[in-house]
Amino acid sequence: QVHLMESGGGSVQAGGSLRLSCASSGYSYRSNCMAWFRRPPGKEREVVAAIFVGNVPDYADSVKGRFTISRDYDKNAVYLQMNNLKLEDTAMYYCAAAHGISCNNGHYESDYNVWGQGTQVTVSS
């Protein structure tokens, strides 16, 4: 089965930038939808951004204008460029893929069947 692994997390001051990467392995065909989720400390996991069939992106309101999701279809990889980071962006970030299944709505954890183990992003003032 396909496996996902995030990288690029770390500590950054508010206003700074980070680029998260999610690499695939063990795949023989491209995933359908791919997405980034995050879990802030003490809170529920929430969708950050998703990219659908036709390379169409969608973003949570909290990150619109600051984050950009993109895919490399040859590598079955997904990236998240995060600019103007805020304190409330501190979270464990996860990539996810709908692999061999329908994308459905694409906004919920249940829409995805493959998950990375997460990479920590910490934003400080």
Side-chain angles (χ1 to χ4, degrees), residues 5-8 19-23 34-38 45-51 58 60 67-70 77-82 92-97 106 112 115 118-119:
M5 180 173 290
E6 304 92 341
S7 62
R19 183 175 184 265
L20 305 184
S21 299
C22 176
M34 299 189 77
W36 288 94
F37 287 75
R38 67 186 182 187
R45 189 153 59 182
E46 62 187 15
V47 67
V48 178
I51 189 161
D58 195 18
F67 292 9
T68 302
I69 188 172
S70 60
V78 64
Y79 308 93
L80 187 68
Q81 178 67 45
M82 304 186 294
M92 184 72 72
Y93 283 72
Y94 302 86
C95 64
Y112 301 91
W115 291 82
T119 185

Side-chain angles (χ1 to χ4, degrees), residues 70-88:
S70 60
R71 284 187 67 170
D72 184 329
Y73 290 92
D74 290 336
K75 297 179 179 179
N76 201 46
V78 64
Y79 308 93
L80 187 68
Q81 178 67 45
M82 304 186 294
N83 297 328
N84 192 25
L85 284 160
K86 303 177 182 295
L87 293 176
E88 54 264 38

